[in-house]
């Protein structure tokens, strides 16, 4: 790896923290600099250790992840925060993003997705969990959260826009190819270019980008 990521984690469930810490201890390019059980402990930890990335639960005692994130990004603008959430906390995820989080993960995310999220956010990109529901995507699209505001406009060809819409409908490369009379490999090539242009890592990122840029309507996802 070309970088060494300093990471801090906050969660009030010790068993979850232990499992996460064990997994991270096996990664040569990630150093876990500390753990916290609540938002106040997290603030102290971050000020002391100055990590690159913070992963924090949303619901915690003393100070929740939303309040802690808001304070962290005000005091340390370069900090990158990933929200850790349960599957039914869509509204809280939106609040975390509006507070300054760069991404979010459901707590049942697998090892590869956790590592992907850490690396992508470390590179100052937004990460959307692969398990993002259409409901949550719509809520984020309507929210004040907009990581694309200060970035250069990207243009897509008519064919790319067509494929973007089909990706947003959760269609596979084979299904898209059958629909628009292209080979699976050709569609996969288009998909790779689309992800690169949007600077996203998965279908959830494509959906969020498309909604924010009016490439697809929320009602089309129903």
């Amino acid at each position: 790896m070309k970088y060494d990521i300093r990471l801090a984690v906050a969660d009030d469930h010790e068993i979850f923290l232990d499992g996460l810490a064990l997994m991270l201890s096996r990664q040569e390019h990630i150093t876990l600099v500390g753990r916290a059980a609540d938002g106040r402990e997290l603030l102290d930890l971050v000020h002391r250790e100055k990590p690159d990335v913070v992963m924090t639960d949303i619901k915690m005692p003393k100070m929740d992840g939303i309040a802690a994130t808001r304070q962290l990004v005000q005091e340390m603008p370069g900090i990158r925060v990933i929200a850790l959430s349960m599957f039914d906390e869509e509204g809280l995820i939106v609040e975390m993003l509006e507070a300054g989080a760069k991404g979010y993960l459901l707590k049942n995310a697998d090892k590869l997705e956790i590592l992907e999220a850490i690396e992508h956010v470390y590179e100052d990109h937004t990460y959307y969990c692969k398990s993002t529901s259409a409901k949550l995507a719509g809520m984020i699209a309507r929210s004040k959260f907009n990581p694309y505001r200060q970035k250069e406009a990207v243009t897509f060809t008519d064919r790319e826009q067509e494929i973007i819409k089909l990706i947003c409908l959760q269609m596979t490369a084979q299904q898209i190819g059958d629909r628009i009379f292209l080979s699976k490999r050709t569609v996969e090539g288009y998909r790779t270019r689309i992800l690169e242009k949007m600077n996203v890592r998965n279908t959830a990122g494509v959906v969020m980008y498309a909604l924010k840029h009016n490439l697809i309507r929320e009602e089309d996802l129903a």
Side-chain angles (χ1 to χ4, degrees):
M1 287 289 176
K2 61 182 180 297
Y3 38 60
D4 181 20
I5 303 171
R6 291 171 55 79
L7 176 74
V9 181
D11 196 293
D12 60 330
H13 294 90
E14 189 172 355
I15 294 176
F16 176 80
L17 266 185
D18 287 344
L20 188 59
L22 179 61
M23 184 273 286
L24 293 170
S25 70
R26 298 169 178 160
Q27 311 306 313
E28 294 183 358
H29 65 300
I30 298 175
T31 301
L32 183 60
V33 299
R35 304 162 35 157
D38 60 64
R40 294 191 188 282
E41 282 187 17
L42 176 61
L43 292 178
D44 291 340
L45 171 62
V46 171
H47 288 137
R48 184 173 66 251
E49 299 293 340
K50 296 179 172 54
D52 303 302
V53 178
V54 170
M55 295 179 68
T56 178
D57 192 11
I58 301 178
K59 292 182 177 179
M60 294 187 294
K62 298 183 182 177
M63 176 185 282
D64 65 26
I66 297 167
T69 296
R70 190 174 291 115
Q71 186 167 333
L72 282 174
V73 298
Q74 287 176 349
E75 296 173 353
M76 304 175 70
I79 198 79
R80 283 103 174 186
V81 178
I82 299 172
L84 294 170
S85 168
M86 302 299 286
F87 70 93
D88 59 347
E89 296 177 346
E90 289 98 339
L92 296 180
I93 292 172
V94 173
E95 288 189 56
M96 278 291 285
L97 293 172
E98 291 183 335
K102 294 285 294 182
Y104 61 90
L105 285 169
L106 295 187
K107 285 192 176 183
N108 63 355
D110 61 33
K111 168 188 168 181
L112 291 178
E113 183 168 20
I114 292 171
L115 296 177
E116 183 177 59
I118 293 170
E119 293 162 6
H120 201 59
V121 166
Y122 173 76
E123 294 172 347
D124 204 26
H125 306 311
T126 304
Y127 189 87
Y128 304 102
C129 182
K130 292 178 181 176
S131 302
T132 299
S133 65
K135 175 184 175 184
L136 176 55
M139 291 172 68
I140 294 174
R142 295 190 303 272
S143 74
K144 294 180 290 184
F145 175 72
N146 188 359
Y148 317 106
R149 188 176 295 113
Q150 296 179 343
K151 297 183 179 179
E152 291 184 15
V154 177
T155 58
F156 298 96
T157 65
D158 290 343
R159 179 65 91 183
E160 285 172 338
Q161 291 186 46
E162 182 180 22
I163 292 174
I164 287 168
K165 291 176 181 177
L166 297 176
I167 291 173
C168 290
L169 296 178
Q170 309 296 319
M171 294 179 68
T172 66
Q174 186 64 62
Q175 290 170 330
I176 293 172
D178 292 343
R179 171 77 70 89
I180 60 177
F181 307 107
L182 293 176
S183 71
K184 178 182 176 183
R185 175 171 288 189
T186 299
V187 174
E188 288 171 344
Y190 271 110
R191 187 180 189 278
T192 298
R193 287 195 295 276
I194 287 166
L195 265 64
E196 289 174 350
K197 282 187 174 185
M198 292 181 174
N199 202 2
V200 299
R201 298 297 284 268
N202 53 38
T203 297
V206 174
V207 172
M208 217 69 66
Y209 186 102
L211 285 170
K212 282 290 189 183
H213 291 83
N214 299 312
L215 299 176
I216 193 169
R217 299 173 302 173
E218 186 179 341
E219 50 266 35
D220 294 333
L221 302 177

